Amino acid sequence: MATATENLTSKDVLTDLRLFLQGVNRERQVSNQALTKSALYLLQTLPVARHAVFEYLCNVFEEAVQIQMKQLQFHEFNQDDLGESSNALDSIIQDACGVLFNFIKTNPAAWAPIISSWSLELLGHLSGKYSTHRGVPHSGSLNELLQLWMTCKPTKSLIEVATECFAAMVKGAPEVCVDSLLEASVKYSPHFDWVVAHIGSCFPTTIITRVLMSGLKDYYQHGGKPGEGHMSSDDKMPKMASAVGILGHLASKHGQDIRNALMKLFEASLTAESEMIRKTTIPFLLKLASLSPMLLNILTTDLINALTPEVLNQLNTILSQWKNTSHQEYESFLLLVVHLVIQSDIGAYQVLQFFLQAAIPTGKKTFAGCYFLII
């Protein structure tokens, strides 16, 4: 038998549900404050209403950003009406974010992935929609975009929510948050780059490592499998291009972290149990280098230093089967190596010196490694 408390809760839920539906469908005049209060209550008590509530919150944030953009565009005019509307929405957004932060804190495993995907998608939508708005800097002006959107209260609140989600997931499920970031980056780049730059600067090591692993997985799944067809074109690997962009944004302040992550990925591939990682990592790294001069410079310095005779023999063993099963693809791979050598700027002398030294067969093991490089 239901208790009085349960009956009261059920009645409250039903009352708020009716109010919410009537308000969003404009069947009844409901203030934004009352409508938001009902929406947040339903978010906490009625799971099936989650999608509708998040959609409503999207509209609230979008309206708030629209007002901010009008204030930016017409700053020289009287903005009393806009200011009142903005203050009211700021209060609503503050309440909404308070509830979302509480969800993330009390049940991160359940809520952080959901709220992360929602907030990143909304940030991408808003950034893209207002990218051509008067007063919004060009997408190439990353620092100016960061300054603009971080001084816009609605988007600042959203990215704080997204960052809190990342903080909650970074130890337990980093691949989930990075996948959401990559998907949004693929969909909304370059207007989404400021979000990537901000979140990446908060969790550089995790973002760099997981972005590389996600890019490697994407490369493998979209035709980068040694021995299974031609090396895939860029348009078939959207996450990989996005990964290059993210690493590019982080390079200025976290270049050493990128160097370390690239070398760890390479070193791990030599002894990895996963056949995918062993056979795909080297082509993947070279593909990255072909898409980014910054990554090429790193690989032509750090990677060359790591290519000892023992490592060359390991690579020869790993990739020999690929050469035997798909000679044409292997030839394409070697052409890419030659292309990258020609394109090398920083470290070019070390690369040529390495080839000359490696061409001298000082022993049987060294010769096997040289054979892999020059044949």
Side-chain angles (χ1 to χ4, degrees), residues 55-219:
E55 185 176 350
Y56 165 73
L57 291 178
C58 284
N59 294 332
V60 171
F61 276 93
E62 184 158 355
E63 183 180 353
V65 171
Q66 186 178 31
I67 291 174
Q68 293 273 323
M69 291 297 104
K70 286 181 179 179
Q71 290 176 326
L72 179 67
Q73 184 173 358
F74 302 112
H75 62 277
E76 67 272 21
F77 299 111
N78 189 316
Q79 299 183 55
D80 290 343
D81 292 339
L82 289 176
E84 291 178 7
S85 299
S86 179
N87 291 336
L89 287 173
D90 286 345
S91 177
I92 291 172
I93 287 173
Q94 186 176 357
D95 291 342
C97 289
V99 172
L100 296 179
F101 281 130
N102 185 57
F103 284 168
I104 298 167
K105 182 179 179 180
T106 56
N107 193 355
W111 280 105
I114 296 170
I115 297 173
S116 172
S117 296
W118 169 78
S119 58
L120 291 174
E121 173 67 23
L122 182 53
L123 281 166
H125 167 72
L126 294 172
S127 300
K129 180 175 181 177
Y130 291 99
S131 60
T132 58
H133 196 278
R134 179 182 173 185
V136 176
H138 187 269
S139 58
S141 307
L142 186 58
N143 289 333
E144 293 181 20
L145 274 176
L146 262 171
Q147 184 177 1
L148 170 71
W149 290 120
M150 291 302 289
T151 54
C152 177
K153 290 182 180 179
T155 49
K156 183 176 184 292
S157 298
L158 267 178
I159 203 166
E160 287 173 351
V161 168
T163 303
E164 189 69 17
C165 290
F166 271 67
M169 294 189 291
V170 76
K171 291 183 179 179
E175 68 283 351
V176 176
C177 51
V178 171
D179 282 346
S180 296
L181 188 67
L182 280 171
E183 288 171 7
S185 181
V186 169
K187 187 174 181 180
Y188 294 108
S189 184
H191 314 300
F192 190 75
D193 292 352
W194 71 274
V195 178
V196 172
H198 177 80
I199 295 179
S201 65
C202 295
F203 312 97
T205 303
T206 299
I207 294 295
I208 290 167
T209 302
R210 297 310 310 181
V211 158
L212 284 173
M213 290 306 299
S214 184
L216 177 61
K217 183 179 179 181
D218 188 56
Y219 178 78

Side-chain angles (χ1 to χ4, degrees), residues 23 33 82 111 174 184 197 232 289 314 336 348 350:
Q33 288 83 355
L82 289 176
W111 280 105
S232 187
Q314 285 180 283
L336 176 59
Q350 287 82 357

